[in-house]
C-alpha cells in the first residue's frame, strides 16, 4: 500500500476550506425539482417516467436509435458483452491504459482480455497494434478468428476512450468488420466527445456511458447502453431486469441481473442533460486555460486534441518529463497535495496490475511511460478561475 491522500470520494464535499478537489459534480438546473417530483409521486424505484425520459435524451444526444438505462457503467459494459454474445473462453481486445472496469467485465462473462497498448499521440488504444495482431497473430477461416497463441476465438474489440478523448475508431471498425468482430465502445468517460463529427458511444455496435460521481454528468451512480440495434436494446433491457419472461407468473428463461437505474437517479440525469452544453463549454474553457498556461513550460507536454476529435476534456492531464521539468509526476502530486490541491496519476496499466498480469498484452511501453509521467489536474466544471490560477501557479513555480 502506498501513501494515502486525504480521504476523498467523487461527489464528496471537500472537508477543508481552500481544498481544490480533482473533479466534483455540479448539481444545478432542475435537479432538485425533478428529484422532488419522484418523491412526491412515489416513483422512486427502477421504473418511472424519468427513466424513460433519460433514455430518450441519451439516445437523442448520441444520435442512436435506442438507449437502455443501467445501474452503473460497469454493469452497462457487462450487459453489452452479454448482449453481443461474448462467451466463456472468447477473447476481447481492450485498452491496457484504462480504469480496470471494462477489463473486469470481460472476465465476468468468462472471456479473456487481450490488452492493447496506447498510441503515443492521443494516448488511446493503438489501432495499428490491433490490426497487426488480428492480421498476423490470428487465423481466420472465413467465419471465426482464432488467436494462434491461445487457440481461443477472438470475438470483440472494446476500445476505451480514455480521459474524454476519442480513440481513432475508423481503423478499429474496419478491422472489426473484416473479421466479423463486435465493437463495443467504453464511452464512460467520453459523453459529449466527438469523432469526425459523430458522438462517442454511437460509433460502433454498442456504446456504454457512466454517470458515476466523478463523470462529466452524474446520477450519483448510473450507466447507459446506446445502440442502433433494436434486438440488442431489447435484450439489454431483458437481461437488466432479471430476464423476466412472464412478469405475472415469474417465468425466467435465462439468468438475468438487477441492473436497472432508479427513477430518482434518472431524474438527476435528465436535469444534468438539460445543462450539459454549458458543462461541456466550462470543461473546454478550463482545458484552454491550462493549455495556455503550460504551453511554454519546459518538460510539460499537453494532451493534444486530434484533428478528427473533439474532446469533452473530462480529466485534464499533462505529462511531466522529470529531467526537463526538474521533478517527476509523483513529486508534483505530493507537492500539490501539501498545497491542498488534489491531483492524480493515470491508472496503473492493466498489464502491470497484479489482478491482470496473466493476460496477453500487445506492447505496453507507451502505457507504461504515460503512467509514469501522467498527472491529472483539478478540472471540475465548477472550478473557479482563482482556484485554477492556484493550480497553474503551483505547476509553474518550478520554472526557473
Ligand atoms: C473507463 C471506465 N470504464 C468503466 C467505468 C465504470 O463506470 P461505473 O463507475 O459507472 O461503474 C469507469 C468509471 O468509473 C471508467 O472510467
Amino acid at each position: 500500500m502506498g501513501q494515502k491522500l486525504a480521504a476523498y470520494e467523487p461527489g464528496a464535499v471537500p472537508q477543508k476550506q481552500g481544498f481544490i478537489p480533482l473533479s466534483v459534480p455540479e448539481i444545478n438546473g432542475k435537479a432538485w425539482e425533478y428529484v422532488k417530483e419522484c418523491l412526491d409521486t412515489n416513483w422512486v424505484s427502477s421504473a418511472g417516467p424519468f427513466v424513460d425520459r433519460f433514455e430518450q435524451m441519451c439516445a437523442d444526444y448520441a444520435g442512436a436509435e435506442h438507449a437502455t438505462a443501467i445501474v452503473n457503467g460497469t454493469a452497462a459494459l457487462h450487459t453489452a458483452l452479454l448482449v453481443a454474445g461474448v462467451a466463456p473462453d472468447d477473447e476481447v481486445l481492450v485498452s491496457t491504459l484504462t480504469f480496470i472496469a471494462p477489463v473486469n467485465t470481460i472476465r465476468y462473462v468468462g472471456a479473456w482480455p487481450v490488452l492493447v497498448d496506447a498510441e503515443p499521440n492521443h494516448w488511446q488504444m493503438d489501432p495499428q497494434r490491433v490490426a497487426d495482431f488480428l492480421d498476423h497473430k490470428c487465423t481466420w477461416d472465413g467465419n471465426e478468428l482464432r488467436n494462434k497463441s491461445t487457440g481461443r476465438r477472438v470475438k470483440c474489440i472494446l476500445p476505451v476512450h480514455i480521459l474524454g478523448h476519442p480513440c481513432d475508431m475508423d481503423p478499429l471498425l474496419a478491422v472489426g468488420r473484416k473479421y466479423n468482430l463486435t465493437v463495443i465502445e467504453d464511452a464512460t468517460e467520453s459523453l459529449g466527445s466527438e469523432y469526425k463529427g459523430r458522438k462517442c458511444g454511437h460509433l460502433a455496435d454498442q456504446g456504454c456511458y457512466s454517470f458515476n460521481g466523478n463523470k462529466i454528468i452524474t446520477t450519483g451512480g448510473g450507466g447507459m447502453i446506446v445502440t442502433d440495434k433494436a434486438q440488442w436494446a431489447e435484450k439489454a433491457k431483458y437481461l437488466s431486469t432479471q430476464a423476466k419472461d412472464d412478469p405475472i407468473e415469474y417465468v425466467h428463461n435465462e439468468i438475468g441481473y438487477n441492473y436497472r437505474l432508479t427513477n430518482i437517479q434518472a431524474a438527476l440525469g435528465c436535469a444534468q442533460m438539460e445543462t450539459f452544453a454549458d458543462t461541456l463549454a466550462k470543461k473546454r474553457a478550463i482545458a484552454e486555460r491550462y493549455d495556455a498556461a503550460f504551453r511554454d513550460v519546459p518538460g510539460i507536454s499537453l494532451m493534444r486534441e486530434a484533428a478528427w476529435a473533439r474532446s469533452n476534456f473530462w480529466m485534464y492531464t499533462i505529462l511531466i518529463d522529470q529531467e526537463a521539468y526538474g521533478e517527476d509526476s509523483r513529486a508534483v502530486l505530493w507537492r500539490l497535495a501539501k498545497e491542498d490541491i488534489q491531483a492524480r496519476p493515470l491508472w496503473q496499466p492493466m498489464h502491470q496490475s497484479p489482478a491482470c498480469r496473466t493476460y496477453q498484452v500487445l506492447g505496453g511501453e507507451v502505457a507504461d511511460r504515460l503512467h509514469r509521467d501522467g498527472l491529472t489536474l483539478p478540472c471540475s466544471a465548477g472550478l473557479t478561475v482563482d482556484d485554477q490560477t492556484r493550480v497553474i501557479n503551483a505547476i509553474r513555480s518550478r520554472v526557473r
Side-chain angles (χ1 to χ4, degrees):
M1 295 275 279
Q3 269 175 292
K4 285 228 169 71
L5 285 171
Y8 168 78
E9 289 296 327
V13 178
Q15 299 299 309
K16 207 168 160 189
Q17 190 72 17
F19 177 79
I20 306 178
L22 187 74
S23 177
V24 287
E26 249 202 336
I27 306 294
N28 51 25
K30 295 191 170 165
W32 188 257
E33 181 189 322
Y34 289 173
V35 170
K36 184 172 181 305
E37 195 178 317
C38 298
L39 303 180
D40 288 344
T41 57
N42 226 9
W43 280 107
V44 293
S45 196
S46 55
F50 282 114
V51 176
D52 299 340
R53 203 199 299 180
F54 189 38
E55 286 180 336
Q56 194 59 53
M57 285 177 102
C58 288
D60 291 347
Y61 185 80
E65 294 291 324
H66 309 279
T68 310
I70 301 282
V71 72
N72 57 53
T74 309
L77 287 161
H78 181 198
T79 307
L81 287 164
L82 290 167
V83 164
V86 178
D89 265 348
D90 281 346
E91 288 186 354
V92 178
L93 278 75
V94 64
S95 313
T96 194
L97 187 61
T98 175
F99 179 58
I100 199 168
V103 178
N104 283 341
T105 61
I106 294 166
R107 293 299 298 132
Y108 294 173
V109 300
W112 294 97
V114 175
L115 305 169
V116 183
D117 204 356
E119 41 72 26
N121 296 324
H122 309 294
W123 317 347
Q124 310 298 323
M125 176 186 263
D126 186 341
Q128 193 55 52
R129 283 200 186 274
V130 172
D132 287 348
F133 172 75
L134 299 179
D135 285 341
H136 304 299
K137 306 282 185 212
C138 296
T139 54
W140 171 242
D141 66 4
N143 182 37
E144 273 188 356
L145 190 71
R146 286 199 178 264
N147 181 342
K148 283 184 200 168
S149 69
T150 61
R152 296 187 189 120
R153 180 175 73 152
V154 182
K155 176 71 181 160
C156 179
I157 309 176
L158 206 172
V160 186
H161 307 297
I162 64 161
L163 305 170
H165 192 286
C167 297
D168 188 3
M169 288 299 290
D170 278 351
L172 293 174
L173 291 167
V175 81
R177 259 193 308 275
K178 183 171 167 189
Y179 295 117
N180 205 15
L181 305 177
T182 300
V183 181
I184 299 172
E185 295 171 76
D186 182 334
T188 51
E189 300 178 1
S190 64
L191 180 74
S193 307
E194 291 177 17
Y195 176 74
K196 300 186 178 173
R198 293 181 60 203
K199 293 283 189 308
C200 284
H202 184 227
L203 302 167
D205 296 300
Q206 298 180 93
C208 299
Y209 297 122
S210 162
F211 311 116
N212 183 27
N214 68 355
K215 293 298 184 287
I216 197 157
I217 70 166
T218 185
T219 57
M224 188 74 67
I225 307 173
V226 293
T227 183
D228 284 342
K229 296 174 192 282
Q231 274 187 337
W232 285 25
E234 211 175 291
K235 182 92 189 203
K237 188 160 282 189
Y238 171 73
L239 291 176
S240 61
T241 51
Q242 304 280 24
K244 217 180 280 171
D245 289 281
D246 184 322
I248 309 290
E249 298 294 341
Y250 289 92
V251 176
H252 305 266
N253 290 315
E254 282 190 49
I255 293 170
Y257 301 84
N258 182 9
Y259 275 178
R260 284 294 277 168
L261 194 73
T262 68
N263 202 47
I264 297 178
Q265 290 167 308
L268 271 175
C270 290
Q272 300 245 306
M273 283 303 278
E274 285 170 0
T275 56
F276 187 44
D278 183 46
T279 308
L280 271 179
K282 287 178 180 168
K283 297 288 276 187
R284 180 162 283 271
I286 290 166
E288 282 170 358
R289 250 182 267 134
Y290 274 140
D291 278 359
F294 299 147
R295 196 161 281 131
D296 65 339
V297 178
I300 291 194
S301 334
L302 310 177
M303 187 180 190
R304 285 178 292 138
E305 200 177 26
W308 36 259
R310 194 163 171 87
S311 175
N312 67 5
F313 291 107
W314 171 60
M315 282 286 179
Y316 186 89
T317 303
I318 54 175
L319 300 183
I320 299 177
D321 178 299
Q322 180 181 4
E323 214 163 291
Y325 180 74
E327 238 178 350
D328 71 12
S329 65
R330 300 313 190 268
V332 179
L333 174 91
W334 289 104
R335 183 162 59 77
L336 294 181
K338 286 203 191 94
E339 296 183 34
D340 285 335
I341 297 170
Q342 190 184 32
R344 191 183 80 177
L346 289 177
W347 317 272
Q348 180 178 53
M350 290 301 103
H351 63 275
Q352 300 286 2
S353 168
C356 306
R357 278 222 182 107
T358 56
Y359 307 157
Q360 184 172 2
V361 56
L362 312 179
E365 301 78 15
V366 177
D368 288 342
R369 183 176 61 79
L370 295 170
H371 174 236
R372 185 193 64 202
D373 295 344
L375 194 68
T376 300
L377 299 177
C379 54
S380 310
L383 182 69
T384 63
V385 172
D386 281 356
D387 279 353
Q388 188 171 7
T389 304
R390 252 178 71 199
V391 182
I392 289 169
N393 289 342
I395 298 286
R396 287 192 61 95
S397 64
R398 290 287 310 184
V399 182
R400 288 168 279 250

